[in-house]
Amino acid sequence: MADITRRLGWRHLRGAPTAHIRHHRGTKLLHDGPGLSFWFRALTAAISEVPVDDRELAMTFHARTSDFQDVAVQATVTYRISDPAVAAARLDFSIDPDSGAWRAAPLEQLGTLLTETAQQHALDVLSRTPLSAALVDGVTAVRERIAQGLAGEPRLPATGIEVVAVRVMALRPEPEVERALRTPAREQIQQEADRATYERRAVAVERERAIAENELASQIELARREEQLVDQRGTNARREAEEHAAADAVRAEAEAARTVRLAEAEATRSVRLARAEAEGAREVGEARAQAQAAWLRVHADVDVATLHALTGTRLAENLPRIDSLTVSPDVLTGLLAKLGHQEQA
């Protein structure tokens, strides 16, 4: 929308670079071009503002396929006004000199023209296409047909309109039909998922079986090796016992031989000791006998009184030592009584 300023009965218009301005005063064209800025009088001026930028027109319409199924088409048409003079002559792009707003709705007229033209060509192609084919290749077919139809529409160049691009975003059936069409695919996907699950479970079972077999084989091998170990331990124990028995036998023989040697040596030493003791005893006996004989010879010539004195002396030498002697009155009385009796006698 143009920017209009009011000054003392005059108006100043400042247009945008994307808006083509046409200023007439009477039948004379005073200004013609995009992005203009000028002063004018409202009472004598006729101004048109034609947008020359690319515009997007979104459209949604329903169509019916050859098998009588309703589908919704979502498309977008990009267009621009390539000839502003022709467009201003065919459509009302005049603006209010005070506000700068369009007096009519020219863009809505262009949108209606483009939508009806595109819808006509889309309906034509979909009416000869079954639903399954339309859902598979319908987007491309509808886009190409709409683009060809708009390019070949004579009213658009006559109005100064150029179609830049056509896009078809979606072509969808009714919700019930769409759910019915999705069901086989979903079932197939579910079947594939179930098959993958079963295969995964089968692989897991096979792996578990392989693991169990490996564990069993490991246990069997371990048991076999334990048996070999037990046999080897028995062999080693038997060999060790045999070696110990042989060593004990050797030690017993050595001990027996040593005992025999010790016994022989002890016997020899005992014999020698007995002989020495016998010889010593014999010599001692002979010496005693000689001494006794000498003693007898010495005392043979001594008188009896001397012998009695010697005997008393020897007896006194052999008597035990008396440190103290206690005489009780009873003993003393008895002794005195005996002495008295002896004297009387």
Side-chain angles (χ1 to χ4, degrees), residues 3 10 69 76 82-83 88 108 148 151 183 198 213 215 227 253 294 299 301 310 313 319 336 339:
D3 184 10
W10 287 85
Q69 298 296 326
T76 301
S82 60
D83 193 343
E108 294 181 2
Q148 294 174 1
T183 300
Y198 296 151
E213 290 181 354
E215 291 179 354
E227 183 180 0
E253 292 179 357
H299 292 83
D301 299 331
L310 289 175
T313 302
L319 287 175
L336 292 177
L339 291 176

Side-chain angles (χ1 to χ4, degrees), residues 279-341:
E279 185 67 23
R282 185 180 59 79
E283 292 178 356
V284 168
E286 291 178 355
R288 287 180 177 177
Q290 293 177 1
Q292 187 69 25
W295 186 79
L296 292 176
R297 284 194 302 271
V298 170
H299 292 83
D301 299 331
V302 178
D303 56 359
V304 176
T306 302
L307 291 176
H308 287 170
L310 289 175
T311 302
T313 302
R314 295 294 297 272
L315 288 175
E317 290 177 357
N318 293 323
L319 287 175
R321 181 179 178 180
I322 299 173
D323 292 330
S324 61
L325 179 63
T326 301
V327 180
S328 63
D330 296 335
V331 175
L332 182 60
T333 303
L335 291 176
L336 292 177
K338 289 181 178 182
L339 291 176
H341 286 298

Side-chain angles (χ1 to χ4, degrees), residues 202-239:
V203 171
V205 171
E206 182 65 24
R207 289 180 178 176
E208 290 179 359
R209 186 185 62 81
I211 292 173
E213 290 181 354
N214 292 334
E215 291 179 354
L216 181 60
S218 300
Q219 293 178 359
I220 293 174
E221 181 65 20
L222 181 62
R224 186 178 62 81
R225 293 190 177 183
E226 287 181 354
E227 183 180 0
Q228 293 179 355
L229 180 62
V230 170
D231 294 340
Q232 185 64 36
R233 285 179 177 175
T235 302
N236 294 338
R238 185 169 57 255
R239 185 178 302 170

Side-chain angles (χ1 to χ4, degrees), residues 49-100:
E49 183 183 15
V50 181
V52 294
D53 57 338
D54 290 351
R55 291 184 173 269
E56 301 285 341
L57 177 61
M59 58 184 72
T60 301
F61 53 87
H62 292 272
R64 180 169 291 182
T65 62
S66 62
D67 50 0
F68 306 103
Q69 298 296 326
D70 291 336
V71 292
V73 181
Q74 296 178 358
T76 301
V77 176
T78 304
Y79 71 95
R80 65 169 171 262
I81 299 175
S82 60
D83 193 343
V86 174
R90 298 293 299 273
L91 299 173
D92 186 5
F93 283 97
S94 62
I95 62 174
D96 188 338
D98 292 330
S99 63

Side-chain angles (χ1 to χ4, degrees), residues 1-2 15-21 33-36 48-53:
M1 184 175 67
T18 59
H20 189 94
I21 306 298
L36 296 179
S48 298
E49 183 183 15
V50 181
V52 294
D53 57 338

Side-chain angles (χ1 to χ4, degrees), residues 124-136:
D124 183 56
V125 68
L126 289 174
S127 63
R128 296 193 299 270
T129 306
L131 178 61
S132 58
L135 294 178
V136 175

